[in-house]
Amino acid sequence: MEFFVLFQEASGIGWITLNRPKALNALNASMVEVIEKQLAIWKENPAISLVCIEGAGDKGLCAGGDMRSFYDEKDGDIDQHALDFFATEYRMNHALDTFPKPILVYMDGIVMGGGIGISVYAQNRIVTERTRMAMPEMNIGYFPDVGASYFLNKSPGQMGKYMALSAKTFTGSDAIYLGLADVYMQSEKWQELKEGLQSRNWEPLSTGETTACLSSLIASFAQATPPPSHVAQVQEKVDRYFSKDSICEIFDSLNNGAKEGDQWAEETYALLKGKSPNSLALALEQLKRGKGKTLGECLRMELDMDMQIIHTHDFYEGIRSVLVDKDRNPKWNPAQIKDLTRKWIDSFFISPWAIEQHPLKDLV
Ligand code: QUE
């Protein structure tokens, strides 16, 4: 029996180690289920004052959800598979957001998709010089989930749209700028910080005391001036080109920028042109609809979208091209933005459940 998530309790800390290093700690249904269960136990356990999350191996925290499993299950009961995985994963995301004690996450190396979902709701999010973050779902014909409709709307200006649509990879400094991380630290300090965490007894501390003690401990290992954020330098361009409400208008605006000699607009245009038109339109629509919604509402909306996207061509074609055949040469269908209809996009937001029957009905 292999354990893909390790739990340890020591000196008032509950440790969660994602332990599937051969798959970059990608989350499967059983992993998200046990994490959610353990959080529910630790929430009530007065001997636990603090939760710390890290990834096993040297590649990073977590590459995302186990999306390949959908390809393998495509001829089976795909609705059940989607429900088992996504509903449980989103419950875990929500449990992290509402967890009443401080959570520390060590976001070293790869932190993508579902890996952002496991880190973004914590209060002590530590990035390093090795952090590589992305919401890469546009590459696999999917859409940014794990609450992206909620948290991407909180990034500065139009950055959430840019992250979602471009699927670009960002650094630790970028993550802090984007509001997805809190502290920058050299990765060589992590062992020492861990020892610092383990050398004191957190058990008798109140949540307020734990919070204060934790931030001063982390601050003593942090790098006071992180390297500059690259993405901060293109904020004005992102705001100019991505302020539009439709993919057609964003494409037009980038294309015009390119014609006027803006190389960044040209590169971004070329990048977006390679993504699934369906995924691009869905991402834009979910961000629009996510504005002003609670996390629970956003997760319900994303689960509704899941139950439809698992019946589209692009979802399997995207997973095939990135995770199965790895040719990175997907044939999207519909192939062009103009082939999408309003009715088609809107249909993803019609819930297959009556509100009182929704599997995530209890999430606030
Ligand atoms: C988009 C994604 C994922 C991705 C690549 C994308 C994703 C995911 C993985 C992944 C990577 C390495 C592994 C693994 C999974 O890649 O969600 O098991 O070993 O989990 O472009 O959404």
Side-chain angles (χ1 to χ4, degrees):
M1 176 75 196
E2 230 183 318
F3 294 96
F4 289 149
V5 188
L6 308 178
F7 300 104
Q8 284 167 72
E9 297 175 11
S11 51
I13 306 177
W15 284 91
I16 301 179
T17 307
L18 306 181
N19 186 39
R20 203 183 166 209
K22 283 181 198 147
L24 259 158
N25 301 323
L27 301 167
N28 62 28
S30 72
M31 290 164 76
V32 292
E33 187 176 350
V34 291
I35 293 170
E36 204 242 352
K37 286 209 168 105
Q38 191 62 56
L39 288 171
I41 292 166
W42 281 341
K43 183 177 168 173
E44 304 298 336
N45 182 352
I48 295 297
S49 299
L50 164 65
V51 169
C52 296
I53 307 175
E54 68 172 325
D58 58 5
K59 294 276 170 53
L61 177 67
C62 175
D66 189 2
M67 302 307 285
R68 198 206 149 109
S69 66
F70 286 88
Y71 188 88
D72 299 333
E73 289 282 329
K74 68 183 184 323
D75 301 320
D77 191 346
I78 198 71
D79 287 81
Q80 193 58 49
H81 183 67
L83 198 55
D84 287 346
F85 177 62
F86 291 123
T88 317
E89 184 184 30
Y90 300 172
R91 275 190 184 284
M92 175 199 70
N93 298 140
H94 197 272
L96 288 164
D97 188 56
T98 54
F99 196 71
K101 304 170 188 185
I103 301 180
L104 177 156
V105 190
Y106 183 52
M107 301 164 67
D108 189 40
I110 304 278
V111 185
M112 300 198 180
I116 296 190
I118 219 161
S119 54
V120 74
Y121 303 111
Q123 302 75 32
N124 301 273
R125 301 166 297 180
I126 304 174
V127 286
T128 74
E129 79 288 354
R130 294 170 13 110
T131 298
R132 296 292 175 267
M133 284 184 80
M135 289 304 281
E137 294 83 1
M138 291 301 103
N139 297 329
I140 58 163
Y142 186 47
F143 62 87
D145 68 334
V146 294
S149 322
Y150 178 78
F151 65 76
L152 287 182
N153 270 317
K154 300 188 188 306
S155 282
Q158 304 293 321
M159 280 296 178
K161 278 188 203 165
Y162 177 56
M163 268 199 94
L165 302 180
S166 73
K168 263 182 107 74
T169 301
F170 299 99
T171 65
S173 294
D174 292 336
I176 293 175
Y177 179 79
L178 293 165
L180 305 175
D182 305 296
V183 177
Y184 194 98
M185 184 183 84
Q186 287 295 322
S187 58
E188 64 188 22
K189 306 259 184 165
W190 175 234
Q191 278 314 319
E192 230 184 308
L193 171 54
K194 267 171 82 166
E195 284 158 24
L197 284 161
Q198 280 155 347
S199 71
R200 72 184 70 185
N201 187 14
W202 302 82
E203 192 177 326
L205 303 190
S206 69
T207 292
E209 288 164 340
T210 305
T211 302
C213 204
L214 185 60
S215 19
S216 76
L217 181 65
I218 294 172
S220 70
F221 289 93
Q223 184 168 323
T225 25
S229 156
H230 299 289
V231 79
Q233 283 154 20
V234 293
Q235 177 80 61
E236 269 178 43
K237 287 184 194 285
V238 167
D239 288 348
R240 177 164 6 125
Y241 297 120
F242 285 83
S243 62
K244 312 292 185 293
D245 267 341
S246 75
I247 296 294
C248 278
E249 288 170 283
I250 292 174
F251 273 26
D252 285 346
S253 126
L254 286 166
N255 194 21
N256 288 333
K259 282 180 188 151
E260 288 160 19
D262 183 343
Q263 200 185 331
W264 185 88
E266 189 178 336
E267 286 166 15
T268 306
Y269 185 57
L271 186 64
L272 264 50
K273 280 272 184 183
K275 310 300 183 202
S276 155
N278 187 53
S279 290
L280 290 170
L282 283 181
L284 208 52
E285 185 67 22
Q286 74 178 108
L287 288 181
K288 197 199 276 182
R289 293 186 187 234
K291 273 203 193 90
K293 282 194 164 72
T294 64
L295 178 58
E297 288 168 334
C298 286
L299 292 169
R300 278 192 286 280
M301 179 178 83
E302 291 171 10
L303 190 64
D304 296 343
M305 296 170 72
D306 282 325
M307 300 318 282
Q308 304 245 9
I309 204 158
I310 57 169
H311 296 290
T312 65
H313 165 272
D314 280 9
F315 183 61
Y316 300 96
E317 176 62 2
I319 296 172
R320 183 204 63 75
S321 76
V322 173
L323 297 172
V324 182
D325 298 336
K326 304 184 183 178
D327 56 23
R328 291 221 163 228
N329 187 23
K331 299 277 178 281
W332 303 127
N333 181 20
Q336 298 196 36
I337 296 295
K338 64 173 172 49
D339 302 328
L340 296 165
T341 64
R342 183 78 253 165
K343 195 174 166 213
W344 165 259
I345 295 302
D346 282 345
S347 74
F348 286 81
F349 298 88
I350 301 168
S351 182
W353 300 283
I355 188 101
E356 67 277 8
Q357 303 288 328
H358 199 290
L360 301 177
K361 62 174 186 293
D362 52 315
L363 301 190
V364 183

